[in-house]
Amino acid sequence: MRRKSHLRDSIFLTSLFTIIGILAVFFPLSYFLTTDLTQDNARDYSRQLLGQIKNSIEFYTEEMIMISGYLADHPDVRVYLEGENPLAPSSYSLYQQRARISSELKAISGTRQDLVNIILFREDGDFITNREHAGLTPYWDYREFDWYQETVAAKGLPRLSSSRVENVIAGEHRWVVSLSRAIYDQDHLLGVLLIDLNFQTIADICSNLSGQNGAYVFIMGANDELVYHPQQRLIYSSVKSERFDLVRRSEAIESVIRDGIIYSSVKIKSADWVIVSVTDTRQMVQVSPLVIVTYIGIGLVFALIALVVSLLASRRLTEPILALKNSMQQFQQGDFNAQAQITATNEIAELGDQFNSMTQQIKTLVEHERLIEEQKRKSEIQALQSQIRPHFLYNTLESIIWMASSGEQDKVVEMTSSLAKLMRASASKAREMVTVQMEIDTVSHYLRIQKLRYQDKLQYEIEIDPEVLLARMLRLSLQPLVENAIYHGIKPLRDGGLLVIRAYRAGSELLVEVADNGVGFAPDALHASLEASMDEGESIGLHNVHNRIQLMFGKEYGVSVRSAGPGQNVLDQSDFDPAAGIRTIVSIRLPLVFE
Amino acid sequence: MQKNVNRLFLFYWPWLLIGLAVSALLTGLYLPLRHTPFPYRIIAVGKASTEGIAFWYSIAEGMAAAANEFKVTVDYRSPVDESEVDRQIAIVYEAIAEKPDAIILAALDADRLVEPARAARAAGITVVMVDSALADVDKSPQQSFIATNNVLAGQQLGELVLQRVRPGAQILVVSPSTRGDSLIGRETGVRAVIEDAFDVLPTLDTGGQLSDDIYHQVSQALTEHPEIKAVVCLNEYTTAGSARAIRGLSLTGKVTLVGFDSSEELIDYLEEGLLSAVVIQRPFNMGYLSVARTIDLLNGRTIESFYDTGSIVITKDNIYTGENQKLLFPFEN
Amino acid sequence: MNVLSKKPAAGEEMAKQGLAGNQRLYALVAMILIYILFAVFGRNFFSFETAVNILDASYYIGFLAIGVTFVIITGGIDLSIGTVAMCSAMIGGVAWEKWGLPFTAGLVLILVSGALFGLLNGTLVSRLKLPPFIATLGTMMVSLGISSIVSKVQTVNFPSRTSEEGWFKSVFSKVQLPSGAMLPTGAILLLAVLLIAFVVLNKTKIGRYTFAIGSNEEAVRLSGVNVVYWKTIPYIISGLCAGMAGIAYASTYTTVVPGAGQGFELDAIAGVVIGGTSLSGGVGSVFGTLIGVMIMSILRIGLPSMDLQPHYQKLFTGIVVIIAVLMDISQQKKR
């Protein structure tokens, strides 16, 4: 058998592959969009973060610059710096001056905790601090420090240091960021002002605002040294490294993405510091096996749903078609009872309904045709049987022999010729329908034979309305009735009987009646003779004729029997001569048809 | 025909089952992935408290930095000071009872801590040493050791003496203990350099006590041996104690003092000139690397048996330079 | 309603002054309360030096606030004053330091550029009918940019007290008298400007039209007044005052950082609103403005003494402004 492709498979596979195809495109696409978005978001976030940190740090550095500017040109400060060495015991007013400046420094730093030290150095080594008891360390000369010399070289512009340990105060080492500025009188250096901001303030800004998504912030100073880095010590000892080459010293925030790491950098306004935020999106990519698995998982679940849905859809669509197909195959194989049981209500159901009514009609038609054929065949066999019925033929031939031996030559001639005519009539391959006259001729041959056999015991009359002589009736439909009447009605009579055949028109119908005054039918026997199957004895003929007529012309036609039955006298409704004593009338009702 | 169709549909169901199975498998994979990285729990057992002791403060700080970076928990515990070996052993056993993934240990006693470390290994706990290893490295239960190469650091100390003291002079070596592995290494290094050139006295073992006691012991030694031209100290508080002893005996400038590790007090002495130089370690790196390597080990990577975090010579002139500032002043506030 | 009927009658005007006076009183009480609060709870707050610092810190904001009071009375706003002040100072400083102009010319340049920025604002608002908020926001950006371009993003140092040009500090900041006592010339100057502003606002045509425009611009226009002209004037005054503020800042703090000045305008506007000038225009007083500015300065110096740094400063400034505006609205409803 050739391998067939099934509709259900096609629908199933088409919808399945369509859905899976869409998923296969959609999920990778959305995955890549997601990772792209992740990086964009991370960059935006790092830039925002940087902006905030920049603002905070600028706030502090600008405050320090403001304070330094305020103090550097404060009249008291000027007087102090320009005056004689205040340690020289000269004037009381200078001592007062020192005290005033000291309380001024205290007022500025005292209101806030982030300012650790404010120290005013005179060029000659004297100094004033904001803290009453703080002294300078004896081990160093601050004028030799790099920051001091750089500040002096900056000619009065503020200089912001990197993060450093303040080592000018005796016995104290604090981490600070220093703003220093030299104070000049024209080109003559008067002194240096140093403002120390607690480094923790800067470190806190950087560490508090970073730390999400593995991002961190570091600050680079003017000479590319690290002001702040969360892992400064690891970088110093080369355990870790930082891509300083990706840092941009720009007033606007600039982002460089290298190997999945986002470096955003911005220079602050008030000093030569660069704030850099580093966001490692690889850490987000590290999460991405998770994302991939999530996507694949969701994709598979969808694919599974797609599988089930397409399975159900294909089944729902094809099941009625399949049922229809199966019914058709059944039908094709000859089962005319095949009915498509389709529960759906769509076009397929309509198709099914039409199929059902079609099979129904075909079934009826076929059945009808088959019955006609069957009856025809049966009647032919029947006729053949009746013609060559051995008993009839045997008796007739014996009668001929008897007549011949007794010298009744005329009778022999008559009987033999009648037999011959009867045989010819019944054996002829004539059409189904013959004229009433022809049928009567056939029957009269038969009757003549029987008359010769039964002598006076059988009387018969044939009354045909000339009007119906040419009307049509079924061939060989009358002879069985006559035979029936002779054998069942008259033969049992001791004194012989009368048989009457009439044919006349009744309205649009043709009525052919075979009446006798024989023993009559018991209603049971009558019934049996009409309904019995053809295999049952001698009343086959009657039944056979009835069926043939009904098949041919419809249910309203056929053979009817009226019989008085044993013990009863006459038939009530009859236009026969009452004297004839008719007890049984078998009538054939046919439509009046002329050729 | 009907049969044919049925067979086809029977053929689909295994696919459905396979789909379900794969989904279930991926969900199973997904759930643990959501909780990665696995939060390893590490217990660090140090030699002394982080309170005010710069060295251990920095170690703990380095550990915390690594813990934060690698998303693990590190719990630092220690006896209060370095004399309490028994206490440290007890701490190790307590830690084992808590079944952490790893123990990072700085052995106060190279021999006596071997047994607790073995117990930890027997309990399936990774053991990494920091600062001071266990004795008999080849057979010891330690899986890696992160520290200053103490022999090299000792040699640096010896070089400092060589540069500063006239050959043949009498030298005193002061050590808080002769038990700790790190101290043994330093002493070996120092002696390897100075043994031949100088008259090196037997090492003064101060017995793990704090500065006051050391002050007396060193003063006594200096009094007993007035010919001592240089004192070499092998850790922070012996250096401090010796410095006080030298000042107490007004020997500043006459006796050269070189020491090990740093503190605010030692920096003052350096600035003052009482202390000519110190060799310092990188405790932050030690702490950081000990945790980082432990995590490598826990993740099944092979690591070296020893990592040298290096040591640096500090004199008055380089106190306030880049890295040194960070090493010498670990307290940022 | 007939617009003409809204033209303020004499009596109504008196009532408005009274209302402004009312809020001025509240502001004064609030100022004293806030000062006491910091004196009690702030670290090292209560001292003479701190009080001087507060005065010094309110000095340049004071000029800004006086100028912007005019604009706010017209019902407008000037957001550019802070950056205009710093930009003007930067232009003057660079002209003296880098271009070699005489210092006096530099000072004049500061005032002129301030006034020009004011003229720009006034033109945009009155002639081109831009909303003041947007127009002055634009000017703010323009001045920020110009400041960075002119300075080449370098800080500028103004002459020191002892230099040849040091006299300007004695004039605009403070001067030490031979007795050793400090004469706050800057504060005196501020008061003088305040008095002038008061006179201009209350006794001149400029002041009358300023109030009138703020009260009902349409009515003023229908009276045949050249509104475009008279509405430009307050912006020019504001710009001129911003120039003065630039000089005041330079003489107090010596160093001018490029791109600075953002946020100054908020302190100034907050001071104005606290001082009883209505943001919807038509009502205002320069004396109230002075009190408002003092409150802002006390907050600026006082908050750090309670360890409340940058973000808290913004927070409290915002809160104070909201309270002031709410008071303004509730008083308008009463009217």
Side-chain angles (χ1 to χ4, degrees):
Chain A
M1 178 178 174
R2 186 169 59 96
R3 222 188 126 72
K4 283 187 180 174
S5 64
H6 295 279
L7 184 62
R8 178 182 286 191
D9 295 356
S10 310
I11 294 176
F12 170 69
L13 291 176
T14 307
S15 58
L16 183 68
F17 284 124
T18 307
I19 297 172
I20 286 176
I22 290 168
L23 290 176
V25 173
F26 175 74
F27 277 102
L29 202 68
S30 49
Y31 171 73
F32 286 117
L33 284 176
T34 308
T35 48
D36 244 35
L37 259 160
T38 311
Q39 205 168 55
D40 281 1
N41 284 343
R43 197 188 55 211
D44 292 350
Y45 174 76
S46 80
R47 295 171 75 100
Q48 280 179 14
L49 180 80
L50 208 55
Q52 278 188 40
I53 291 175
K54 175 177 183 274
N55 282 343
S56 296
I57 287 176
E58 278 178 349
F59 174 87
Y60 283 103
T61 54
E62 280 173 20
E63 286 257 298
M64 283 163 76
I65 290 172
M66 274 176 82
I67 291 169
S68 76
Y70 178 76
L71 286 174
D73 236 16
H74 197 282
D76 282 336
V77 171
R78 283 283 163 174
V79 170
Y80 162 70
L81 290 178
E82 285 163 12
E84 295 292 309
N85 188 333
L87 293 178
S90 54
S91 73
Y92 173 71
S93 78
L94 270 175
Y95 172 77
Q96 269 191 322
Q97 196 81 4
R98 265 177 76 91
R100 256 213 306 275
I101 293 170
S102 182
S103 60
E104 175 71 32
L105 299 184
K106 244 190 306 191
I108 291 170
S109 67
T111 52
R112 42 201 297 174
Q113 221 153 28
D114 48 352
L115 293 183
V116 180
N117 300 309
I118 304 180
I119 310 171
L120 190 60
F121 298 100
R122 262 172 72 112
E123 203 277 332
D124 62 6
D126 191 43
F127 68 97
I128 304 174
T129 76
N130 59 325
R131 292 150 67 189
E132 273 164 61
H133 305 295
L136 295 196
T137 174
Y139 312 125
W140 301 99
D141 183 350
Y142 56 81
R143 280 165 293 194
E144 287 168 13
F145 285 135
D146 288 346
W147 66 260
Y148 186 90
Q149 296 183 352
E150 282 171 26
T151 307
V152 169
K155 290 282 169 197
L157 281 176
R159 174 188 175 276
L160 191 67
S161 78
S162 177
S163 57
R164 54 185 283 270
V165 171
E166 183 55 86
N167 56 347
V168 299
I169 305 284
E172 204 179 85
H173 297 95
R174 297 188 66 168
W175 279 96
V176 296
V177 166
S178 309
L179 187 106
S180 48
R181 72 192 293 162
I183 302 169
Y184 280 86
D185 179 16
Q186 313 294 49
D187 288 331
H188 169 58
L189 178 68
L190 296 174
V192 166
L193 178 72
L194 178 74
I195 301 173
D196 284 340
L197 177 75
N198 190 347
F199 176 61
Q200 199 64 38
T201 312
I202 303 288
D204 282 349
I205 291 169
C206 296
S207 60
N208 287 351
L209 285 176
S210 56
Q212 281 177 342
N213 298 336
Y216 61 87
V217 169
F218 69 89
I219 302 175
M220 271 167 78
N223 304 315
D224 287 357
E225 78 282 7
L226 282 176
V227 176
Y228 169 85
H229 193 291
Q231 296 186 327
Q232 204 153 348
R233 276 170 278 193
L234 298 174
I235 288 169
Y236 279 140
S237 51
S238 304
V239 173
K240 292 240 166 156
S241 61
E242 192 69 81
R243 295 289 300 269
F244 295 114
D245 55 317
L246 298 177
V247 172
R248 304 275 178 267
R249 273 183 196 275
S250 160
E251 308 284 327
I253 297 177
E254 281 191 30
S255 297
V256 180
I257 301 179
R258 190 67 52 87
D259 303 330
I261 303 176
I262 304 169
Y263 288 84
S264 296
S265 43
V266 68
K267 186 186 159 305
I268 65 169
K269 279 186 300 201
S270 39
D272 209 3
W273 280 9
V274 187
I275 312 170
V276 187
S277 86
V278 184
T279 309
D280 192 347
T281 56
R282 287 176 311 175
Q283 288 196 343
M284 298 165 197
V285 175
Q286 266 183 11
V287 186
S288 79
L290 172 75
V291 177
I292 291 171
V293 168
T294 311
Y295 272 113
I296 291 176
I298 293 171
L300 273 175
V301 169
F302 277 128
L304 202 66
I305 292 169
L307 192 75
V308 172
V309 165
S310 35
L311 198 66
L312 290 177
S314 65
R315 184 173 269 193
R316 194 174 154 74
L317 277 175
T318 55
E319 224 155 44
I321 296 178
L322 221 60
L324 195 60
K325 190 193 89 173
N326 286 335
S327 309
M328 277 173 152
Q329 277 172 347
Q330 246 181 304
F331 181 72
Q332 188 191 337
Q333 284 166 357
D335 179 0
F336 295 114
N337 289 318
Q339 289 283 293
Q341 299 295 328
I342 292 165
T343 46
T345 52
N346 52 13
E347 291 90 335
I348 296 173
E350 244 172 80
L351 203 63
D353 287 346
Q354 279 167 12
F355 168 76
N356 284 348
S357 69
M358 181 191 80
T359 52
Q360 202 69 53
Q361 278 177 18
I362 290 176
K363 182 187 163 192
T364 317
L365 282 172
V366 168
E367 189 81 359
H368 194 71
E369 196 64 29
R370 189 180 60 79
L371 281 175
I372 291 173
E373 283 300 318
E374 199 173 80
Q375 287 302 323
K376 194 171 153 188
R377 189 170 48 84
K378 271 187 208 162
S379 67
E380 275 166 4
I381 290 167
Q382 184 69 36
L384 202 61
Q385 275 180 343
S386 67
Q387 288 151 27
I388 58 164
R389 190 185 278 160
H391 190 63
F392 171 73
L393 202 56
Y394 175 73
N395 287 342
T396 310
L397 287 176
E398 217 168 314
S399 303
I400 293 171
I401 291 167
W402 182 76
M403 282 180 225
S405 60
S406 60
E408 290 175 283
Q409 207 166 342
D410 298 345
K411 282 184 183 175
V412 170
V413 170
E414 190 183 350
M415 190 176 260
T416 311
S417 78
S418 289
L419 182 63
K421 280 174 186 160
L422 179 67
M423 296 291 273
R424 181 176 295 156
S426 60
S428 79
K429 293 278 176 216
R431 295 182 307 174
E432 183 75 2
M433 302 291 280
V434 295
T435 58
V436 172
Q437 175 146 37
M438 283 166 74
E439 189 66 9
I440 294 295
D441 282 350
T442 309
V443 167
S444 57
H445 294 307
Y446 177 76
L447 279 172
R448 223 168 285 146
I449 293 169
Q450 294 296 24
K451 175 74 181 163
L452 286 172
R453 280 179 59 197
Y454 290 103
Q455 300 291 349
D456 297 333
K457 213 176 167 188
L458 174 67
Q459 299 294 323
Y460 71 89
E461 292 167 14
I462 296 175
E463 302 166 12
I464 306 298
D465 186 351
E467 197 183 1
V468 299
L469 269 180
L470 287 175
R472 299 277 165 172
M473 66 181 294
L474 280 175
R475 188 167 73 98
L476 291 178
S477 60
L478 196 54
Q479 186 266 341
L481 271 56
V482 173
E483 189 180 336
N484 200 55
I486 293 169
Y487 281 100
H488 296 292
I490 295 167
K491 200 177 162 190
L493 292 176
R494 201 164 296 168
D495 307 323
L498 173 68
L499 186 120
V500 182
I501 297 171
R502 298 203 305 195
Y504 58 92
R505 175 186 173 166
S508 65
E509 291 178 347
L510 168 68
L511 273 174
V512 182
E513 288 174 343
V514 179
D516 68 76
N517 58 352
V519 292
F521 282 95
D524 289 351
L526 174 82
H527 181 75
S529 70
L530 278 176
E531 301 296 324
S533 73
M534 63 177 264
D535 299 324
E536 281 178 28
E538 299 166 63
S539 61
I540 307 163
L542 211 58
H543 172 75
N544 193 6
V545 171
H546 176 70
N547 279 347
R548 278 174 66 195
I549 292 169
Q550 285 205 327
L551 282 173
M552 198 67 119
F553 303 108
K555 290 287 180 194
E556 63 267 42
Y557 305 103
V559 179
S560 58
V561 180
R562 281 172 292 165
S563 178
Q568 287 174 320
N569 284 326
V570 283
L571 290 161
D572 298 330
Q573 311 139 330
S574 156
D575 50 354
F576 286 99
D577 183 5
I582 295 300
R583 297 177 66 86
T584 301
I585 304 168
V586 178
S587 47
I588 296 172
R589 184 184 296 270
L590 291 168
L592 186 63
V593 178
F594 299 93
E595 194 58 21
Chain B
M1 289 306 283
Q2 192 70 41
K3 213 169 84 189
N4 205 352
V5 170
N6 277 340
R7 200 171 62 226
L8 248 168
F9 271 81
L10 277 176
F11 186 61
Y12 290 143
W13 288 107
W15 281 105
L16 280 179
L17 286 178
I18 287 167
L20 274 170
V22 170
S23 310
L25 191 78
L26 285 167
T27 316
L29 271 174
Y30 170 83
L31 289 177
L33 261 176
R34 280 184 61 183
H35 298 294
T36 50
F38 305 104
Y40 288 128
R41 211 161 58 82
I42 299 169
I43 295 179
V45 183
K47 284 185 180 176
S49 154
T50 59
E51 304 275 323
I53 301 177
F55 186 81
W56 293 103
Y57 174 86
S58 294
I59 285 211
E61 210 186 0
M63 286 175 170
N68 187 39
E69 182 177 337
F70 299 112
K71 309 275 183 279
V72 299
T73 61
V74 177
D75 189 2
Y76 181 88
R77 301 160 189 193
S78 73
V80 174
D81 71 62
E82 301 197 10
S83 61
E84 303 170 83
V85 180
D86 293 333
R87 178 79 199 104
Q88 194 187 38
I89 291 170
I91 290 170
V92 174
Y93 281 115
E94 283 164 23
I96 292 169
E98 291 175 33
K99 297 192 189 310
D101 294 296
I103 290 178
I104 297 174
L105 177 63
L108 269 176
D109 186 313
D111 295 313
R112 292 184 58 202
L113 265 302
V114 170
E115 215 32 61
R118 266 191 226 291
R121 286 298 298 281
I125 298 166
T126 298
V127 175
V128 169
M129 304 302 291
V130 69
D131 181 55
S132 300
L134 296 169
D136 198 3
V137 174
D138 293 335
K139 282 179 239 158
S140 83
Q142 76 191 25
Q143 285 160 285
S144 185
F145 177 39
I146 291 97
T148 310
N149 185 331
N150 281 299
V151 177
L152 287 180
Q155 286 172 2
Q156 280 177 305
L157 267 180
E159 300 287 342
L160 288 171
V161 177
L162 269 182
Q163 290 159 10
R164 285 168 169 75
V165 183
R166 179 177 49 80
Q170 208 169 51
I171 310 275
L172 176 67
V173 178
V174 185
S175 174
S177 154
T178 47
R179 312 279 306 148
D181 168 71
S182 55
L183 294 168
I184 296 167
R186 283 171 215 166
E187 193 181 340
T188 312
V190 172
R191 284 189 178 273
V193 176
I194 63 174
E195 199 89 87
D196 297 337
F198 299 100
D199 170 19
V200 185
L201 291 171
T203 301
L204 174 62
D205 180 353
T206 59
Q209 300 304 306
L210 289 179
S211 309
D212 284 348
D213 199 38
I214 295 161
Y215 168 78
H216 292 299
Q217 292 185 38
V218 175
S219 294
Q220 199 184 344
L222 285 172
T223 319
E224 280 172 17
H225 304 276
E227 291 304 303
I228 292 174
K229 287 290 171 227
V231 178
V232 180
C233 302
L234 298 186
N235 81 341
E236 187 261 310
Y237 52 84
T238 51
T239 311
S242 302
R244 282 179 225 165
I246 289 169
R247 183 147 65 192
L249 295 170
S250 302
L251 293 171
T252 312
K254 294 183 187 121
V255 173
T256 302
L257 176 64
V258 292
F260 208 88
D261 287 345
S262 75
S263 66
E264 285 269 325
E265 187 186 354
L266 292 193
I267 289 159
D268 272 349
Y269 294 151
L270 268 177
E271 289 186 318
E272 188 185 333
L274 175 58
L275 176 61
S276 23
V278 286
V279 172
I280 59 167
Q281 312 178 63
R282 290 191 175 107
F284 184 92
N285 288 18
M286 263 185 229
Y288 178 88
L289 284 175
S290 65
V291 172
R293 292 295 93 85
T294 301
I295 292 165
D296 283 346
L297 209 54
L298 288 172
N299 285 337
R301 262 163 275 174
T302 48
I303 63 169
E304 309 273 318
S305 60
F306 176 66
Y307 289 91
D308 180 13
T309 50
S311 50
I312 297 165
V313 174
I314 301 287
T315 60
K316 185 183 177 181
D317 296 329
N318 66 2
I319 296 173
Y320 297 103
T321 55
E323 180 186 5
N324 298 351
Q325 276 192 117
K326 276 279 171 197
L327 292 170
L328 293 167
F329 306 101
F331 305 105
E332 283 184 345
N333 40 8
Chain C
M1 187 194 278
N2 187 348
V3 281
L4 285 171
S5 70
K6 276 199 81 180
K7 196 172 177 181
E12 217 174 306
E13 203 163 356
M14 289 298 289
K16 272 183 202 166
Q17 290 295 323
L19 277 167
N22 230 351
Q23 182 147 356
R24 216 153 62 207
L25 193 67
Y26 293 146
L28 193 63
V29 172
M31 182 182 88
I32 293 165
L33 280 178
I34 291 171
Y35 187 82
I36 290 171
L37 186 81
F38 283 128
V40 174
F41 295 107
R43 184 171 2 89
N44 302 325
F45 183 82
F46 188 65
S47 70
F48 175 71
E49 283 82 6
T50 305
V52 171
N53 280 342
I54 292 169
L55 280 177
D56 279 335
S58 60
Y59 179 33
Y60 67 98
I61 297 286
F63 281 112
L64 291 178
I66 289 169
V68 82
T69 303
F70 279 77
V71 173
I72 291 176
I73 288 173
T74 66
I77 194 85
D78 190 346
L79 297 175
S80 68
I81 46 173
T83 50
V84 163
M86 297 316 277
C87 177
S88 304
M90 190 58 101
I91 291 170
V94 169
W96 166 71
E97 198 181 40
K98 308 266 163 68
W99 305 342
L101 257 66
F103 186 68
T104 326
L107 291 183
V108 172
L109 195 58
I110 293 174
L111 293 176
V112 168
S113 55
L116 283 176
F117 276 118
L119 180 65
L120 173 67
N121 279 329
T123 309
L124 291 174
V125 172
S126 60
R127 202 172 293 276
L128 302 177
K129 307 272 185 266
L130 289 182
F133 192 91
I134 304 298
T136 57
L137 197 66
T139 310
M140 178 190 201
M141 294 297 158
V142 168
S143 57
L144 262 178
I146 290 179
S147 153
S148 293
I149 292 165
V150 166
S151 64
K152 301 195 175 74
V153 207
Q154 301 280 314
T155 47
V156 165
N157 249 5
F158 273 72
S160 68
R161 194 168 285 278
T162 46
S163 65
E164 235 179 276
E165 296 87 1
W167 56 268
F168 103 100
K169 295 214 165 172
S170 306
V171 173
F172 292 103
S173 174
K174 54 182 91 167
V175 68
Q176 196 164 30
L177 297 176
S179 69
M182 205 70 74
L183 184 68
T185 45
I188 293 167
L189 193 67
L190 179 67
L191 283 175
V193 170
L194 191 73
L195 275 174
I196 294 167
F198 176 78
V199 170
V200 168
L201 199 55
N202 294 292
K203 306 291 175 201
T204 68
K205 210 174 175 182
I206 295 175
R208 276 200 299 280
Y209 282 132
T210 301
F211 273 113
I213 289 170
S215 183
N216 191 335
E217 191 178 332
E218 193 57 31
V220 175
R221 191 191 319 282
L222 292 172
S223 324
V225 174
N226 185 351
V227 172
V228 170
Y229 174 77
W230 289 108
K231 211 176 159 183
T232 309
I233 299 290
Y235 285 94
I236 295 175
I237 293 174
S238 175
L240 197 63
C241 286
M244 281 192 269
I247 296 173
Y249 184 93
S251 59
T252 313
Y253 298 110
T254 313
T255 309
V256 178
V257 176
Q262 258 176 310
F264 291 1
E265 73 282 352
L266 289 181
D267 282 351
I269 292 167
V272 172
V273 175
I274 294 165
T277 300
S278 168
L279 276 175
S280 47
V283 180
S285 123
V286 284
F287 289 113
T289 295
L290 188 66
I291 295 166
V293 169
M294 292 300 291
I295 289 181
M296 295 314 293
S297 292
I298 291 171
L299 283 174
R300 235 187 98 192
I301 303 288
L303 286 171
S305 77
M306 293 174 84
D307 291 331
L308 300 172
Q309 273 293 39
H311 308 299
Y312 291 95
Q313 294 214 13
K314 286 177 190 163
L315 177 76
F316 280 101
T317 308
I319 290 172
V320 167
V321 170
I322 289 169
I323 291 171
V325 172
L326 283 176
M327 280 175 68
D328 177 29
I329 289 170
S330 75
Q331 297 217 347
Q332 279 189 359
K333 274 183 188 160
K334 268 190 235 160
R335 209 191 311 169

